[in-house]
């Protein structure tokens, strides 16, 4: 499998009109969170299909894609890593985990984080020391903080909520809207499985939470209770 082949296939799938729309949607303008990111305009299912086809791609080629300025090249690299991780032994999983964390500066948009963090970082740390997540949560890099909280989705799906709540408490005053959304989303996922646990956290923090974070967290609450939280009457 050749790196040149996968790049050629990506360019054959490119859609210039869709690329323009995606560059606006993903905030690539001056001063925005994804400033300078370049898109080919390829739909995610097509990128996933290509990643499955090239799941045996060499790590050197994957790294070339992951460090590309083109969003879909980074995306296909990350999807390949997820597919490799799912089939790898312990040594292979550790290699992929380390490669991911060594290159977080290239996992640099919310869609890239959300589609991969739980499947690599969360999966690897499930039965290991969670210290790396707290380092990420304290990072000055937006994407590392998002990786920290989104990785806990793997734990949530196994009904383990403590790391999500601890990291959420660290990020409750974060300045970035993309962190507010991610934390609120993960709190909502906790609540789907254990509403009492979510509400214990909310009662402690909801008055100082950013509005977006709170709205995401209580989105599925009954209307009366949702309004009470929004009005600070809980």
């Amino acid at each position: 499998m050749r790196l040149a082949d996968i790049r050629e296939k990506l360019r054959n799938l490119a859609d210039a009109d869709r690329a323009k729309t995606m560059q606006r949607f993903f905030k690539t303008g001056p001063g925005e969170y994804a400033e300078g990111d370049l898109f080919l305009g390829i739909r995610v299912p097509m990128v996933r299909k290509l990643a499955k086809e090239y799941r045996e791609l060499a790590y050197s080629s994957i790294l070339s894609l992951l460090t590309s300025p083109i969003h879909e090249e980074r995306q296909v690299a990350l999807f390949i890593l997820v597919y490799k991780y799912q089939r790898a032994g312990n040594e292979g999983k550790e290699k992929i985990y380390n490669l991911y964390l060594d290159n977080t500066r290239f996992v640099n948009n919310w869609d890239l984080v959300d589609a991969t963090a739980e499947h690599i970082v969360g999966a690897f740390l499930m039965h290991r020391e969670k210290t790396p997540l707290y380092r990420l949560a304290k990072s000055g890099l937006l994407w590392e903080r998002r990786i920290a909280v989104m990785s806990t989705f793997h734990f949530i799906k196994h009904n383990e909520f403590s790391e999500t709540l601890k990291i959420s408490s660290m990020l409750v005053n974060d300045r970035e809207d993309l962190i507010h959304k991610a934390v609120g989303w993960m709190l909502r996922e906790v609540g789907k499985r254990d509403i009492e646990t979510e509400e214990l956290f909310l009662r402690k923090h909801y008055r100082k939470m950013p509005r977006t974070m709170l709205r995401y967290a209580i989105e599925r609450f009954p209307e009366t209770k949702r309004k009470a939280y929004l009005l600070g009457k809980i």
Side-chain angles (χ1 to χ4, degrees), residues 97 124-134 155 163:
Y97 164 81
F124 186 79
L125 295 178
M126 179 70 192
H127 301 296
R128 292 179 173 86
E129 172 61 45
K130 307 299 190 294
T131 301
L133 291 181
Y134 296 98
F155 312 151
E163 308 303 333

Side-chain angles (χ1 to χ4, degrees), residues 15-94:
D15 181 329
D17 290 336
R18 181 173 172 78
K20 291 177 182 177
T21 299
M22 292 175 74
Q23 288 192 206
R24 289 193 298 271
F25 180 74
F26 284 100
K27 307 298 184 184
T28 64
E32 295 182 313
Y33 62 73
E35 180 177 356
D37 203 355
L38 303 175
F39 285 80
L40 295 174
I42 308 172
R43 295 181 184 277
V44 173
M46 294 178 180
V47 180
R48 286 190 183 277
K49 182 179 179 180
L50 196 58
K52 287 182 179 179
E53 181 182 345
Y54 281 82
R55 69 174 76 201
E56 301 304 326
L57 194 68
Y59 283 104
S60 58
S61 295
I62 294 171
L63 192 57
S64 292
L65 291 169
L66 185 55
T67 56
S68 168
I70 297 171
H71 189 93
E72 287 89 347
E73 289 196 2
R74 301 196 305 282
Q75 189 174 52
V76 76
L78 289 165
F79 286 162
I80 291 171
L81 288 176
V82 170
Y83 294 138
K84 278 184 176 291
Y85 187 95
Q86 292 169 349
R87 301 172 67 178
N90 290 336
E91 187 175 328
K93 290 181 190 303
E94 185 171 7

Side-chain angles (χ1 to χ4, degrees), residues 33 104-105 133-148 170-171 174-176 179:
Y33 62 73
T104 52
R105 64 193 181 280
L133 291 181
Y134 296 98
R135 177 184 63 79
L136 291 167
K138 293 176 182 177
S139 172
L141 184 63
L142 161 63
W143 308 117
E144 289 194 341
R145 300 199 304 279
R146 186 151 177 136
I147 287 168
M170 292 173 65
L171 298 174
D174 198 277
R175 64 187 181 277
E176 296 286 353
I179 300 301

